[in-house]
Amino acid sequence: MTLSMKKTDRICLVIVVIVSLICGYLAAMSVVKQERRIRQENDLISKKSTDLNLAEMSFHEFKKAWNDKRKELETLNERIPETAQLGKFLKQLDSLIKKRNIALISLKPLPTVKEIRYTRIPIHLMFKGAFADIYHLLYDFETMNRVLVMKKMIISKPDRDKLCRVDLTISVFERSGTIMEKMLRDII
């Protein structure tokens, strides 16, 4: 069987077209696979970027909370010092009493009481003054930068004059350093 030139050309043309279509299809599939892989990688990068941003936000929130707790601890350390600093406290007490025009009758430290994390130092005070001044003094005790606990308080008015007499037991505190340091190490 002899093939004519025309038929041979047609067969060659059909083969070229088929090969071209197959190559085009394979190239298109390769491009589609690459695009799919690139899209998956972009999605993965986007997810990791989002996770990184969330982690960064969480870190900043943690850092802020850490700094807030550190400030609270510093404030607590100021309010409950490691040593009682009774001299400094008594100066503050004296200035508050003088500021409120109150007459101090007696001031007597009582025996200290050791607790697990702190030592409580009770102080018995007796003073007299106008009721409003006494009220303001007690408010000053509550708001001073030192933890004070008022235990026993008796306010009386023995005479008909305007002065009230106050019998008050307050407690100041000092930290037990080793326990506080151990607690800090446990937290950190």
Side-chain angles (χ1 to χ4, degrees):
M1 205 162 120
T2 60
L3 290 176
S4 69
M5 191 63 149
K6 207 176 195 184
K7 275 190 171 183
T8 308
D9 285 344
R10 284 184 185 163
I11 291 175
C12 286
L13 184 60
V14 169
I15 291 173
V16 168
V17 169
I18 290 174
V19 169
S20 295
L21 288 175
I22 291 173
C23 288
Y25 176 76
L26 292 176
M29 291 309 289
S30 174
V31 168
V32 168
K33 283 182 183 179
Q34 277 184 330
E35 285 180 357
R36 189 179 313 135
R37 190 169 5 112
I38 289 172
R39 194 175 320 117
Q40 287 173 346
E41 289 174 357
N42 285 341
D43 290 345
L44 183 64
I45 289 171
S46 175
K47 184 180 179 205
K48 289 194 182 230
S49 176
T50 303
D51 290 346
L52 180 64
N53 288 339
L54 288 173
E56 192 173 296
M57 286 176 26
S58 295
F59 174 72
H60 288 301
E61 289 174 13
F62 172 76
K63 191 174 180 182
K64 184 182 181 302
W66 178 263
N67 288 334
D68 291 346
K69 291 300 177 185
R70 178 171 278 154
K71 287 176 185 174
E72 283 180 35
L73 183 61
E74 288 171 0
T75 302
L76 182 62
N77 286 340
E78 287 176 13
R79 295 194 72 199
I80 303 175
E82 200 165 315
T83 60
Q85 300 174 353
L86 280 179
K88 184 178 176 182
F89 169 72
L90 292 176
K91 283 182 183 178
Q92 282 181 312
L93 185 70
D94 183 54
S95 71
L96 290 174
I97 287 174
K98 286 179 181 176
K99 176 182 168 185
R100 298 296 177 192
N101 297 321
I102 294 175
L104 181 64
I105 298 170
S106 73
L107 181 141
K108 182 170 74 171
L110 300 174
T112 62
V113 178
K114 292 214 178 256
E115 301 287 339
I116 295 174
R117 294 188 174 103
Y118 56 86
T119 301
R120 184 169 42 93
I121 304 165
I123 300 172
H124 182 256
L125 296 169
M126 288 181 66
F127 49 88
K128 68 180 181 177
F131 182 79
D133 293 333
I134 291 171
Y135 171 80
H136 289 295
L137 178 68
L138 295 176
Y139 179 76
D140 290 342
F141 286 168
E142 287 289 323
T143 57
M144 72 187 313
N145 194 21
R146 180 76 184 249
V147 174
L148 290 180
V149 175
M150 292 183 251
K151 284 287 186 179
K152 177 182 150 191
M153 178 170 45
I154 300 171
I155 300 176
S156 60
K157 194 171 183 181
D159 298 326
R160 296 296 263 162
D161 65 0
K162 295 182 179 181
L163 299 179
C164 295
R165 183 180 174 133
V166 177
D167 186 355
L168 173 66
T169 302
I170 60 173
S171 294
V172 294
F173 300 89
E174 73 178 3
R175 280 184 286 136
S176 301
T178 56
I179 297 205
M180 288 301 276
E181 290 168 2
K182 182 181 177 191
M183 286 174 54
L184 278 175
R185 279 192 298 264
D186 290 345
I187 291 171
I188 296 172

